[in-house]
Amino acid sequence: MRVLLQWTLIFPVLAWVLFFSGLIPGNDIFKFIASALLILSVMSAVHHSEIIAFKVGEPYGTIILAVSITVIEVSIIISLMMSDGQEAVSLARDTVYSATMLILNGIVGLCLLIGGLKHHEQNFSKPSVTIALVSLISIVVFTLVFPTFTKSVVGSYYSTPQLVFASIACLVIYSFFLFAQTKRHRQYFLTTGDSEESIEISKWVFLTSLVFLLISLGIVVLLAKTLSPTIETIIANNNLPKELVGVIIAAIILLPEGVAAINAAQKNRLQTSLNLSLGSALASIGLTIPSVAIVCIIYDMKIILGLDIKSIILLGLSVFTVMLSLNSGKTNIVYGVVLLVNLFAFIFLLIFP
């Protein structure tokens, strides 16, 4: 096996060069090239994340990928909020909600379906999923549900004390989840029966992959942001709701995690897929909301967090379906199909509200 492929270094660098060249806006040819380089950068990020996972072992490899993407996502959200001001009051909520729905229904659903088609039935550690889902449900309710029903502030807002409490709650829950995943109950999150050959990863290769993982993830997010006006134009010309832009951008940002999780499911490493998927959902909410809250408090900005009733029902359906699907420690294709139907319902009701 060639641990470090040359193209995984070249294409992310070319993508950065094209991004800083200023040739993308207003030129359809360079937009097409940027789209191709974006996909290649996604594949590069997946390759480097797999090398890192081999070197540091599970579940640290999946944590590195999930947290890296979340940190970059947080940076983009905060920069947009600072530049757009009050026009971006719901940006954090929409991004986190879309990412959560895509992860729970899309990534997990595809992993269960593809893994089920190839291996019929796959096993995983039920305690690990229980720990992740208990943490996720609490964070989701604190951040996306409660603000709709509180009375201190009119609208789907938190007051400053409530926002501080919710942020602290997210950080505490996510911190103890990481403690359980990496220390106290690490054995729950390890893939059992792994028959793959051990691969020696040199220190130089590991450091190179770590650097190029960040390089690849960074350009994926920046190109997604750069191409978003084109996506907005296409959606507007077809009379589609503007919320679809956030879903598409979130899908692009989550591509590295999604591809890595699906690859693991194909290799009968469903535990790794679930570690990555559920860990990403936890990181997306548990790190994004507190970070955005700090900015809002410092600059006295309002932030809409609460979802409407329809979105709450869809989110509740998604969480409940995932809980039931992963309740037995074994999976099959039916669970994957149901989750993907939930995802299509989410997108369908955006287009036809």
Side-chain angles (χ1 to χ4, degrees), residues 17-250:
V17 172
L18 179 60
F19 175 78
F20 282 110
S21 69
L23 296 173
I24 300 176
N27 192 308
D28 292 339
I29 295 177
F30 284 108
K31 287 178 182 177
F32 176 80
I33 295 174
S35 301
L37 288 174
L38 185 151
I39 300 300
L40 290 168
S41 296
V42 167
M43 303 308 298
S44 175
V46 173
H47 176 78
H48 291 301
S49 69
E50 289 178 345
I51 291 177
I52 293 170
F54 275 120
K55 181 66 176 179
V56 302
E58 290 296 340
Y60 299 105
T62 55
I63 292 174
I64 291 174
L65 179 58
V67 173
S68 298
I69 291 178
T70 302
V71 169
I72 295 174
E73 177 186 353
V74 168
S75 302
I76 295 298
I77 291 175
I78 291 176
S79 65
L80 289 174
M81 290 183 65
M82 297 296 294
S83 61
D84 295 346
Q86 291 303 312
E87 295 181 5
V89 290
S90 64
L91 180 63
R93 179 200 64 183
D94 294 342
T95 303
V96 168
Y97 173 58
S98 296
T100 303
M101 294 294 287
L102 289 171
I103 291 170
L104 292 182
N105 296 305
I107 297 178
V108 174
L110 280 173
C111 288
L112 299 187
L113 177 61
I114 293 174
L117 287 173
K118 185 173 183 179
H119 303 285
H120 298 282
E121 187 177 83
Q122 293 179 293
N123 299 321
F124 58 90
S125 169
K126 183 179 175 182
S128 70
V129 171
T130 302
I131 292 172
L133 288 177
V134 165
S135 304
L136 180 62
I137 291 170
S138 183
I139 288 179
V140 163
V141 172
F142 278 132
T143 55
L144 299 178
V145 178
F146 274 173
T148 302
F149 301 98
T150 53
K151 299 180 179 179
S152 298
V153 181
V154 178
S156 299
Y157 299 92
Y158 264 150
S159 65
T160 298
Q162 291 170 337
L163 187 58
V164 170
F165 171 79
S167 300
I168 293 174
C170 287
L171 291 174
V172 169
I173 292 171
Y174 185 65
S175 297
F176 275 86
F177 168 77
L178 287 182
F179 175 69
Q181 189 179 27
T182 59
K183 297 294 183 182
R184 182 61 59 88
H185 301 294
R186 186 187 173 195
Q187 70 275 12
Y188 293 159
F189 297 86
L190 300 178
T191 300
T192 58
D194 187 6
S195 59
E196 294 187 22
E197 297 179 1
S198 60
I199 300 175
E200 290 295 330
I201 306 294
S202 68
K203 183 177 180 181
W204 181 85
V205 171
F206 169 72
L207 292 177
T208 302
S209 289
L210 189 61
V211 170
F212 272 86
L213 172 63
L214 297 177
I215 290 174
S216 301
L217 293 177
I219 196 60
V220 165
V221 176
L222 291 176
L223 285 179
K225 180 183 175 183
T226 302
L227 295 172
S228 62
T230 303
I231 299 173
E232 290 178 358
T233 301
I234 294 173
I235 289 177
N237 291 339
N238 289 276
N239 297 319
L240 296 172
K242 188 177 179 180
E243 289 81 1
L244 277 179
V245 176
V247 176
I248 293 172
I249 299 301

Side-chain angles (χ1 to χ4, degrees), residues 315-330:
L315 181 60
L317 173 64
S318 302
V319 174
F320 186 62
T321 306
V322 170
M323 288 176 60
L324 291 179
S325 300
L326 303 178
N327 185 51
S328 64
K330 297 181 179 181

